Amino acid sequence: MQGFNPHEARIKTPNPYLTMMGLYLGGFTGMFSETSLNIALPQLSAAFGVETAVMQWMVVGYMLVIGIVLPFASLLMKWFSVRKLTLFALGAFFVGSVISGVAPSFEIMLAGRLVQGIGTGLILPMMFAVVLEVFPPVKIGAAMGLTALIIMFAPAIGPTLSGILLGAFSWRAIFFAFAVVLAVAMVFAAKFLVNPYELTRPTVDVLSCVLSCLGFGGIVLGAGLASLYGWTSVEVLSALVIGVVCVAAYVWRQLHMDTPVLDMRVFAQQGYRVGVTLVMLNFGITLSAMYLLPQYIQNGMMLPVAMAGMLMLPGGIVNCIVSVIAGGLYDRIGARIPARAGFALSIVGAVMFLLAAPESPVTYVICAHVIMMIGVPLAMSPSQTSALNSLPHRMNADGSTMMNTLQQVLGAVATAVATSLLGMGQAASAEGGAIAFTNGVHWGFMFTLVLAVAALAVSMLLKKRSEAAEDDMPAGAPQTEGPQTAGEGC
């Protein structure tokens, strides 16, 4: 066994950033896609004559497929090389984007959207897992900061870029923009991506696969149906109950298998449990806020769609800058201080949106958005890095897959809850028009505030860096198994 050198990556590559570029571009497109359509839903509803509640399936259906595919990413990385999986995922996303872009009907557009979800469901866990292999341990914080930039900046900037495309062209341009970025991503992946894992090709447990699809898919499906039928409807409750029961059975089965599809023992590490919980809550804050804000600007403040996108641009830029800084902060001081400060700022931003009115100045809205976009990335990168860095190397792929699965499931639930509260708040208002819509937005942001307060409370469980190092084995710790060069495992 070679001595552990924190200045050397486990898989040596000439330029790790080029190695990651295909996954970075694919991850950016996937996350950008999660919020980019929020601002276009009214235009899509008008174009195809479909009610807004039904059109919401362009968002929820996408998350449903991601939630079904994600749990299998770890298993697939043991059967196929990361390069082949990445090219397949990027190709699926590309084909789905083209189908949606040229779609003559809502049904075909939705079908293309579901295909896009396959790509995102595979790319996200691979991106996080490979980062831990190609960067040396002393630079993991900065590298994860860039990864967090992609995860958090993309959904934050989604409404802005979509607003510009809608103003200059049409909704079809959004899907074609996806396709262009994905084509470039495929070139980078084919040329620079490496295969860091040994292909062990374990036996596939069919029952586990069925339970995974029914469990995670059922929870996302139930949350998505809530906007159509209500949370207490038979359809929603049935899907949620089936989902929860199947997830429980899936977890029990994984814990009692010699070769699990997804190793649930990652939760034995306290650092991982705390970090993943913070990542889930932070993602819920982001998606609920990014769903509500562009609609408030359009329907509460009565501003055009292009203006809504521009008002969200400063927050998107700030999000980008803070994401990079947050990664470096983890390398220097750990996760505890940045995470707590980030969630405190998210609370301030949510409270400011709760006090917003139809006549609020645009500077007030921009300020509230900027504050939230400082808080969200400030907490995200340290939380992600803290979670994954607490695991031994052999659990990297499982830890990444589990984190992204739970993140997407909570993201779907958060979007559905925000949608429901928006409608309930509107219905409860004594007045109509912009005032009623703003009241609905307030109800939605109350949920965002609850998530932020809960996250701040959980962040109190984060340990000092020295304490965490004693309790958890770092991801860069030496291991005897697995390939040691970039070319193995092809």
Side-chain angles (χ1 to χ4, degrees), residues 161-196:
L161 295 181
S162 296
I164 294 173
L165 290 172
L166 286 169
F169 305 101
S170 73
W171 59 266
R172 296 184 187 274
I174 298 175
F175 294 107
F176 293 141
F178 296 164
V180 172
V181 177
L182 292 165
V184 175
M186 284 189 280
V187 173
F188 275 103
K191 185 172 179 60
F192 298 108
L193 192 58
V194 299
N195 303 303

Side-chain angles (χ1 to χ4, degrees), residues 12 15 35 47 65 70 84 91 113 136 138 149 168 185 192 287 311 316 359 395 411 437 442:
K12 297 179 181 179
N15 189 322
T35 59
V65 175
L70 256 170
K84 290 180 180 178
R113 184 66 169 160
V138 295
L149 163 64
F192 298 108
L287 288 195
L311 289 183
E359 64 275 9
M395 291 184 171
F437 195 89
H442 288 166

Side-chain angles (χ1 to χ4, degrees), residues 140 244 453:
I140 287 295
V244 171
V453 172

